[in-house]
Amino acid sequence: SINQEIAVLFSGYIKDPVVSIKKIPQSGSIRIYYRIHTVKQSYIATYGENIKENQSFIRFSRHFKKKNCPVPEIYAVNEACTLYIQEDFGDVSLLNKLEEHGLTPYVFDLFRQSLKTLAHLQIRGDEGLDYENWSLTSSEFGKQAILSDLLYFKYYFLDTLQLPYDKEKLIADFETFASDLSLVDHKYFMFRDFQSRNIMIENDSVHFIDYQGGMKGALQYDVASMLWQAKAELPDEWKNGLLEYYMDCAQEIMGMKINRHRFLVQYRGYVLIRL
């Protein structure tokens, strides 16, 4: 059974006797998670059939860990690379904190901390990262990847609702849009799904999960994902203040000035893509 397999893999690396192994209810992922309890602490076992996806997550995690990013430690991986044991950050996300406390200074501070840490992961994490061999899909979020994102809107919104539109003009707009947005000034690691449910809060500190779809891309994309996440419904005052703060952090880590006007123009384009 899978529980036996987890217990065997676990005992090969961590000597604490296992008290229990419980399956965690699934969210949107096809991966299956289990929480392993020992007397002292808990760990997460992840089971997934998509070996390439597992490898991306494991390689990215080990790389980011070396760069002092708050990502899970990977303790053990089975030979088939279908099962691995990782650090457990608990099950309270930034989205949970927002739902529980509302738009309070405490939550605002967690958003600031998340963006500062994001800038560190994007810029420092980019150094020495082998996009070519580690990325799950494209190694870069360039024109083709932007176009395929935009086509989602055509297929799953316009076509599904059978709204009338000029197909040729739409594709021409998408082409222009994708060309412009692929020429951004600052390309580093792009998380791809950076939103408050993928930011875990433990002891009031932020930790990141779910970046296996990452690739090289514009700094703006992840910030747009987080600040315009539909579920979060952040007020404009928060969005603007957090964006300014993020630009300050990114400048400091890069050690160079950002052209803020250009950054904002490109940011708005990425917000539109996300929406």
Side-chain angles (χ1 to χ4, degrees):
S1 76
I2 185 75
N3 281 28
Q4 254 174 324
E5 211 182 320
I6 291 169
V8 170
L9 183 63
F10 184 83
S11 64
Y13 289 84
I14 295 153
K15 293 300 167 231
D16 295 345
V18 172
V19 176
S20 68
I21 297 173
K22 291 194 177 89
K23 190 174 168 186
I24 298 170
Q26 254 164 299
S27 52
S29 163
I30 52 166
R31 292 179 300 283
I32 307 169
Y33 296 100
Y34 299 82
R35 186 165 267 121
I36 306 165
H37 283 280
T38 66
V39 174
K40 288 188 200 154
Q41 66 188 94
S42 63
Y43 302 83
I44 298 288
T46 306
Y47 178 80
E49 297 281 343
N50 187 336
I51 292 169
K52 199 167 187 301
E53 185 179 64
N54 298 344
Q55 286 171 336
S56 289
F57 183 75
I58 292 161
R59 285 165 177 162
F60 284 159
S61 299
R62 287 179 169 159
H63 175 77
F64 293 145
K65 202 77 188 154
K66 286 183 196 145
K67 304 282 183 181
N68 293 323
C69 300
V71 297
E73 182 90 53
I74 306 292
Y75 298 110
V77 183
N78 72 352
E79 220 166 302
C81 205
T82 51
L83 180 69
Y84 52 92
I85 305 213
Q86 66 186 68
E87 192 174 350
D88 184 7
F89 294 135
D91 41 26
V92 178
S93 69
L94 178 56
L95 185 61
N96 298 143
K97 290 285 191 189
L98 177 62
E99 286 165 348
E100 185 191 341
H101 297 277
L103 300 166
T104 56
Y106 167 67
V107 174
F108 186 75
D109 203 59
L110 289 175
F111 270 88
R112 274 170 64 101
Q113 196 192 130
S114 301
L115 287 169
K116 184 178 187 167
T117 313
L118 169 69
H120 175 86
L121 181 134
Q122 289 173 316
I123 296 161
R124 289 281 170 261
D126 174 74
E127 297 161 4
L129 196 148
D130 184 352
Y131 291 100
E132 213 49 58
N133 294 306
W134 296 357
S135 299
L136 181 58
T137 50
S138 324
S139 55
E140 186 168 333
F141 193 65
K143 187 179 174 183
Q144 288 313 112
I146 294 172
L147 261 179
S148 62
D149 262 27
L150 291 168
L151 287 170
Y152 267 114
F153 173 71
K154 172 181 151 27
Y155 296 130
Y156 296 108
F157 184 73
L158 297 176
D159 293 347
T160 306
L161 295 178
Q162 298 181 336
L163 299 173
Y165 65 95
D166 183 321
K167 286 191 173 61
E168 284 177 21
K169 278 186 179 168
L170 182 80
I171 299 298
D173 279 350
F174 281 179
E175 285 274 348
T176 309
F177 208 34
S179 296
D180 284 356
L181 284 179
S182 59
L183 301 172
V184 290
D185 299 343
H186 309 288
K187 283 192 177 183
Y188 291 94
F189 181 78
M190 192 177 103
F191 203 108
R192 193 80 167 104
D193 199 16
F194 191 73
Q195 39 188 313
S196 52
R197 65 182 164 78
N198 289 332
I199 301 165
M200 307 310 289
I201 309 296
E202 193 184 43
N203 306 325
D204 292 335
S205 292
V206 304
H207 304 275
F208 297 157
I209 56 169
D210 236 8
Y211 36 76
Q212 60 279 351
M215 56 186 77
K216 200 172 182 85
L219 286 179
Q220 289 95 330
Y221 187 95
D222 289 335
V223 188
S225 301
M226 185 189 194
L227 298 183
W228 288 84
Q229 183 190 346
K231 253 192 174 161
E233 291 185 335
L234 300 181
D236 286 347
E237 193 188 341
W238 275 43
K239 285 178 187 153
N240 299 337
L242 289 166
L243 180 61
E244 284 294 331
Y245 177 70
Y246 171 82
M247 288 190 281
D248 293 342
C249 295
Q251 276 191 163
E252 200 177 312
I253 297 164
M254 287 192 287
M256 61 186 273
K257 270 190 100 60
I258 286 175
N259 177 332
R260 293 202 175 205
H261 174 70
R262 273 178 64 86
F263 193 91
L264 284 169
V265 169
Q266 292 161 348
Y267 168 76
R268 290 187 195 112
Y270 278 104
V271 168
L272 202 52
I273 286 186
R274 285 299 292 180
L275 294 179

